[in-house]
Amino acid sequence: MKNLILACVCFPLLLAACNGPLDVTLADSGDPVKGEALKKALTPEESELLVSYVAQHTMAQDIDYKMTVKQAIAARRKELASNQK
């Protein structure tokens, strides 16, 4: 019984530890601790892509704050690539 309780407590903590700074949702990116880790993890290019994605979709009022930072950067790259065609 003790092992089951221990497993129930430790397993979620292990899963949470596997997430990197880019797996933070846009809603949570404003958290001071997560935001600082995010700033350190992003390259200047990724930072620019993230800012432009958030600005563009905030102005269009169609931003999804449940999206992760990694997904937002990938979406912005895709948008820019389709605009260049």
Side-chain angles (χ1 to χ4, degrees), residues 20-71:
L22 298 182
D23 293 323
V24 172
T25 62
L26 294 177
D28 290 339
S29 64
D31 179 81
V33 174
K34 292 177 183 177
E36 191 63 33
L38 186 59
K39 284 181 190 177
K40 291 178 183 177
L42 289 175
T43 65
E45 178 202 9
E46 290 172 331
S47 181
E48 184 178 320
L49 289 169
L50 178 61
V51 168
S52 67
Y53 178 86
V54 171
Q56 177 71 30
H57 289 275
T58 299
M59 289 179 2
Q61 297 181 351
D62 66 349
I63 192 162
D64 178 12
Y65 287 104
K66 295 177 185 175
M67 177 183 273
T68 65
V69 169
K70 186 187 307 183
Q71 291 170 331

